[in-house]
Amino acid sequence: MEPCIFCRIARGLLPCKKVYETDTLLAFHDIAPIAPVHILFIPKVHIPSFHELAVCDGALAWMNDLMSAVRIVADEYCLNGYRLVTNIGADGGQVVDHVHIHMLGGQPIGPMRVGAQPASID
Ligand code: 5GP
Ligand code: ZN
């Protein structure tokens, strides 16, 4: 069985609430939304994270579709703006190891990092 949960969704082996689709990209509602609008954009091919985009086949075609997909979906769901987030690796808080872009909107999303103090840069 396909081990990656987002590969399974991309192949139609697991259900999702689809929002938008192209040959290379699928956008669907997050199963545990943290905002009124919480949509995930994934490539249909397996790419582990944003960090691997430069070295994985299919990344460029997905990124190309992503630009228009974000615009089309946001024009329908996020009329007042939105935030795009992609978590990468352990420190980034990535849980699903198949690159995905979170679109958060539907209300003011708040500070970039709750409770953050200015980081020391020296
Ligand atoms: P990460 O922390 O890896 O950036 O985010 C993974 C996201 O995938 C989480 O927001 C989580 O709720 C979502 N997610 C995990 N499994 C599923 C699933 O089976 N279906 C959907 N629609 N979203 C999922
Ligand atoms: Zn995958």
Side-chain angles (χ1 to χ4, degrees):
M1 195 204 294
E2 174 59 65
C4 171
I5 197 161
F6 284 180
C7 280
R8 287 164 71 187
I9 288 174
R11 287 172 202 177
L13 302 174
L14 272 181
C16 72
K17 289 189 185 168
K18 183 165 71 177
V19 170
Y20 184 75
E21 183 174 21
T22 71
D23 286 348
T24 70
L25 172 148
L26 186 63
F28 52 95
H29 292 283
D30 195 289
I31 202 168
I34 59 166
V37 176
H38 187 171
I39 293 168
L40 303 175
F41 295 76
I42 67 166
K44 290 184 175 177
V45 294
H46 183 81
I47 299 172
S49 82
F50 198 93
H51 190 69
E52 281 79 30
L53 286 178
V55 294
C56 279
D57 288 343
L60 208 54
W62 177 63
M63 290 294 280
N64 191 55
D65 281 7
L66 184 63
M67 288 188 282
S68 47
V70 162
R71 185 174 170 83
I72 289 164
V73 172
D75 282 349
E76 182 171 352
Y77 288 89
C78 302
L79 295 178
N80 280 325
Y82 54 95
R83 180 171 296 155
L84 298 179
V85 179
T86 188
N87 298 321
I88 301 160
D91 281 1
Q94 185 176 8
V95 172
V96 177
D97 291 331
H98 179 130
V99 63
H100 50 284
I101 309 294
H102 299 258
M103 174 181 277
L104 303 171
Q107 68 178 38
I109 296 306
M112 236 178 23
R113 187 176 170 202
V114 175
Q117 300 297 318
S120 167
I121 53 167
D122 47 42

